Amino acid sequence: MARVAVVCPDLLFGSRVEGMLRAGGHEIVRPGEPADAAVVDLTDDAEARIAGAPSGMPRLAFYSHVEHDVRLRAQEAGFELVVPRSRMAREGAALVDRLLAS
């Protein structure tokens, strides 16, 4: 079981992400706590979230599918996986597993 820090200000979607990660066998921790990976929501205020994202661990970001520039900025900032929000909703736990395996 991996410890995953989730940064998602959207409480409804954040609960969904946390639930799917728990169902996938992961423990959810808050940013700043020791973690094996981070999942970061970039759908609002992407620049601040990219800059303030946890570091020193594999990171997965998700973004609104219409904001292609956000995807590019996150990749340039070193996020290992950057996917549309819809993909995160469908495959969240599997994406974290892939992130940890790489």
Side-chain angles (χ1 to χ4, degrees):
M1 169 181 8
R3 294 170 53 88
V4 181
V6 176
V7 179
C8 185
D10 179 335
L11 296 179
L12 185 59
F13 194 73
S15 292
R16 183 175 177 185
V17 168
E18 290 179 5
M20 87 173 62
L21 293 176
R22 281 188 189 99
H26 302 293
E27 178 183 352
I28 305 304
V29 299
R30 298 290 154 224
E33 294 181 26
D36 302 307
V39 174
V40 181
D41 178 0
L42 301 179
T43 55
D44 289 318
D45 202 9
E47 291 304 317
R49 293 221 184 89
I50 289 171
S55 59
M57 67 188 77
R59 299 177 301 169
L60 162 64
F62 59 94
Y63 64 100
S64 170
H65 71 281
V66 297
E67 296 181 324
H68 302 287
D69 57 320
V70 170
R71 177 181 54 85
L72 294 174
R73 287 195 307 271
Q75 289 171 328
E76 290 169 356
F79 282 81
E80 287 79 6
L81 280 176
V82 185
V83 300
R85 183 179 169 121
S86 59
R87 186 168 176 204
M88 185 67 196
R90 288 189 317 270
E91 306 171 32
L95 289 168
V96 169
D97 290 341
R98 178 177 156 200
L99 179 69
L100 291 166
S102 60

